[in-house]
């Protein structure tokens, strides 16, 4: 390995131990999800996870290493507490931090068994605890493959991808401990990953950058869908990294959030202009300007068959061909998750209008995923504009706000039947590949 980075941390900086409180109906609290391992203490969950991940790599490693056998960790596993700090890693003294890490020099994994792991388990479920261990194990795999001479952000996403490869194996029923994994458990774990992201505005080239949540979840899903061989091929040349540093003073001061009223007006103007351009491309027909109305919860506009989201707080009305949203609820979403959560919601309604106007369904899982892809295609457009002062662009953190909003509005138990995992994947397809991905 190169550089003097002695250890590979789970997350850059301080880990924010905050529960993502969804703005749904309150049924999406991950701590209420029933799971086969729910009654196990965190230490037992960690033990079972590590032994299962070792099983996975013993079986899988030869296929990505020209047949070489997997060598289990030589330095073992080390839970630590404030009173009993982690072992030294190379020349670096072991200091308590609410974190988890792999130490290449000592070839061991260590984790905060006092705060981090118990809190992750109680807030997001034991699957997140296992994924954290699988991520750290991914660093051990990189070390064995000899691929550590890459930017940190690539190594971190590769570790997430390797964790996803383990998850797919467990989902396929090969794990003795993590079986019967449900979409709700996965969505809870994804919500936890949002808490382990880099702070918005971290440059992807920073030492210690792990990637934003959008990129990290992409990497995890890549591992789930395409397996360890795909992860092993990660390099700076082939990874789509969306993490961008703050480039405007105003962004840095506000965290990239416009004031609410300005955000709503800017978003509506922008998504309207996008579809005026994109709808003819998609259908060969001209786009008619869409009417958008805020309403008070006590007096929503009349609509016989609303195509509603967010529990009816926002809808497209096919009969009147207009969009309406509960202004107070939208503002609450803005305050909770940020301005691009508003963008995600309004963009969803525009995508519904697109589908209705061109005679396509928005219902059920397939309809929702089509809407999410179209919504993502608008974000693709935002990401590929020339950076000029009069052009609306995304701020650091905006993609994570969209992912958080998707999880808050569309957990596995939600209205459409599509899981948050599937919805994020469909949205990302539009974000990374544009309108052509949604045809
Ligand atoms: Zn890492």
């Amino acid at each position: 390995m190169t550089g003097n980075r002695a250890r590979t941390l789970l997350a850059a900086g301080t880990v924010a131990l905050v529960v993502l409180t969804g703005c749904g109906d309150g049924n999406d609290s991950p701590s209420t999800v029933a799971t086969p391992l729910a009654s196990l203490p965190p230490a037992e969950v960690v033990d079972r996870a590590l032994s299962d991940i070792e099983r996975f790599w013993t079986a899988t490693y030869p296929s990505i290493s020209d047949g070489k056998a997997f060598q289990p960790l030589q330095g073992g596993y080390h839970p630590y507490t404030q009173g009993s700090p982690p072992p030294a890693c190379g020349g670096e003294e072991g200091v308590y931090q609410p974190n988890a890490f792999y130490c290449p020099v000592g070839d061991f994994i260590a984790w905060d068994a006092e705060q981090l792991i118990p809190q992750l388990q109680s807030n997001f479920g034991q699957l997140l605890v296992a994924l954290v261990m699988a991520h750290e194990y991914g660093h051990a795999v990189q070390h064995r493959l000899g691929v550590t001479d890459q930017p940190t952000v690539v190594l971190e996403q590769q570790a997430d991808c390797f964790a996803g490869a383990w998850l797919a194996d467990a989902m396929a029923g090969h794990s003795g401990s993590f079986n019967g994994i449900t979409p709700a458990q996965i969505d809870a774990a994804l919500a936890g990953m949002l808490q382990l992201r880099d702070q918005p505005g971290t440059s992807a080239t920073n030492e210690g950058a792990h990637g934003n949540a959008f990129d990290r979840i992409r990497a995890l899903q890549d591992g789930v869908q395409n397996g360890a061989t795909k992860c092993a091929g990660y390099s700076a040349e082939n990874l789509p990294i969306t993490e961008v540093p703050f480039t405007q003073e105003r962004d840095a001061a506000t965290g990239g959030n416009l004031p609410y009223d300005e955000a709503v007006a800017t978003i509506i103007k922008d998504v309207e202009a996008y579809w005026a351009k994109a709808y003819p491309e998609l259908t060969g027909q001209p786009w008619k300007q869409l009417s958008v109305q805020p309403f008070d919860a006590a007096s929503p506009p009349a609509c016989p068959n609303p195509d509603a989201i967010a529990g009816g707080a926002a809808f497209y009305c096919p009969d009147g061909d207009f969009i309406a949203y509960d202004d107070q609820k939208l503002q609450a979403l803005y305050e909770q998750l940020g301005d691009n959560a508003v963008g995600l919601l309004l963009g969803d309604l525009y995508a519904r209008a697109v589908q209705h106007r061109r005679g396509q369904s928005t219902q059920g899982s397939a309809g929702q995923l089509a809407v999410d892809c179209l919504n993502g295609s608008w974000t693709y457009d935002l990401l590929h504009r020339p950076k000029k002062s009069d052009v609306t662009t995304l701020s650091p953190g905006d993609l994570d706000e969209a992912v958080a909003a998707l999880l808050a509005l569309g957990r596995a138990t939600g209205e459409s039947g599509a899981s948050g995992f599937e919805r994020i994947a469909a949205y990302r397809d539009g974000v990374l590949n544009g309108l052509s991905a949604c045809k």
Side-chain angles (χ1 to χ4, degrees):
M1 60 172 288
T2 60
N4 52 12
R5 180 166 31 89
R7 50 172 67 170
T8 312
L9 298 172
L10 170 69
T14 310
V15 178
L17 292 168
V18 184
V19 191
L20 179 89
T21 48
C23 50
D25 54 12
N27 290 329
D28 55 0
S29 167
S31 57
T32 63
V33 174
T35 64
L37 299 176
S39 57
L40 291 179
E44 178 78 3
V45 173
V46 169
D47 283 352
R48 291 192 183 202
L50 287 169
S51 88
D52 194 63
I53 296 158
E54 189 176 307
R55 169 200 64 77
F56 169 70
W57 282 115
T58 301
T60 306
Y61 186 79
S63 69
I64 60 169
S65 66
D66 294 327
K68 284 201 201 84
F70 183 70
Q71 184 189 42
L73 267 64
Q74 301 301 290
Y77 305 132
H78 299 275
Y80 62 82
T81 62
Q82 293 186 68
S84 168
C89 177
E92 208 176 312
E93 197 190 339
V95 177
Y96 175 84
Q97 281 186 327
N99 220 325
F101 65 90
Y102 167 69
C103 171
V105 183
D107 196 29
F108 65 81
I109 290 173
W111 62 93
D112 171 16
E114 188 172 8
Q115 292 187 46
L116 177 74
I117 295 300
Q119 290 188 37
L120 290 182
Q121 180 168 329
S122 90
N123 291 344
F124 302 105
Q126 77 274 35
L127 186 59
L128 180 61
V129 171
L131 287 171
V132 164
M133 293 303 150
H135 172 98
E136 299 309 334
Y137 226 100
H139 289 308
V141 170
Q142 288 165 343
H143 195 61
R144 282 155 173 72
L145 288 171
V147 296
T148 53
D149 188 13
Q150 300 196 73
T152 306
V153 71
V154 173
L155 294 176
E156 292 310 323
Q157 292 193 36
Q158 187 175 55
D160 288 330
C161 185
F162 282 146
W166 167 78
L167 176 58
D169 192 65
M171 286 164 74
H174 301 151
S175 165
S177 299
F178 294 83
N179 40 38
I181 294 169
T182 65
Q185 288 174 322
I186 293 170
D187 285 0
L190 294 184
M193 285 189 77
L194 286 175
Q195 301 294 333
L196 300 171
R197 66 185 175 139
D198 289 343
Q199 289 304 303
T202 302
S203 166
T205 55
N206 265 10
E207 178 83 3
H210 275 61
N212 59 18
F214 181 86
D215 290 341
R216 297 196 63 182
I217 291 175
R218 183 205 57 73
L220 180 85
Q221 292 190 323
D222 201 18
V224 170
Q225 286 158 357
N226 301 307
T229 305
K230 176 79 185 295
C231 312
Y234 273 22
S235 73
E237 285 71 45
N238 62 23
L239 270 194
I241 290 166
T242 59
E243 187 162 37
V244 283
F246 288 114
T247 51
Q248 295 168 355
E249 276 177 45
R250 187 181 177 197
D251 262 3
T254 62
N257 280 320
L258 293 170
Y260 174 70
D261 288 339
E262 193 183 339
V264 172
T266 303
I267 285 162
I268 290 172
K269 188 170 163 223
D270 200 87
V271 67
E272 178 71 40
Y274 171 67
W275 284 113
K277 184 181 67 172
Y279 189 78
E281 211 180 292
L282 189 66
T283 63
Q285 302 294 315
W287 173 258
K288 273 192 326 202
Q289 188 169 358
L290 192 57
S291 158
V292 184
Q293 340 178 347
F295 66 82
D296 188 274
S299 53
C303 178
N305 297 298
D307 187 355
I309 59 171
F315 60 85
Y316 169 71
C317 185
D319 297 275
D321 191 28
F322 66 89
I323 281 172
Y325 63 89
D326 180 329
D327 197 34
Q328 280 190 334
K329 287 220 170 118
L330 193 64
Q331 185 152 6
L333 187 70
Y334 164 88
E335 275 155 18
Q336 190 179 27
L337 298 176
D339 59 4
N340 203 40
V342 171
L344 188 283
L345 185 139
L346 291 173
D348 178 291
L349 294 178
Y350 264 87
R352 276 170 207 284
V354 167
Q355 290 297 74
H356 281 275
R357 285 178 173 188
R358 68 179 185 136
Q360 301 277 332
S361 173
T362 61
Q363 298 306 298
S365 177
Q368 180 63 59
L369 298 180
V371 165
D372 290 326
C373 184
L374 291 171
N375 195 1
S377 78
W378 165 44
T379 299
Y380 173 90
D381 189 75
L382 278 161
L383 284 170
H384 291 85
R385 290 175 192 178
K387 302 272 184 281
K388 288 187 297 190
S389 59
D390 58 336
V391 171
T392 302
T393 55
L394 289 182
S395 303
D398 276 348
L399 285 172
D400 287 358
E401 290 167 15
V403 169
L406 274 172
L407 280 173
L409 299 169
R411 285 284 184 88
T413 50
E415 294 151 347
S416 69
S419 69
F421 185 90
E422 293 169 315
R423 293 195 58 187
I424 291 168
Y427 173 73
R428 189 187 54 243
D429 202 18
V431 170
L432 295 179
N433 303 309
L435 192 58
S436 61
C438 317
K439 279 174 177 165

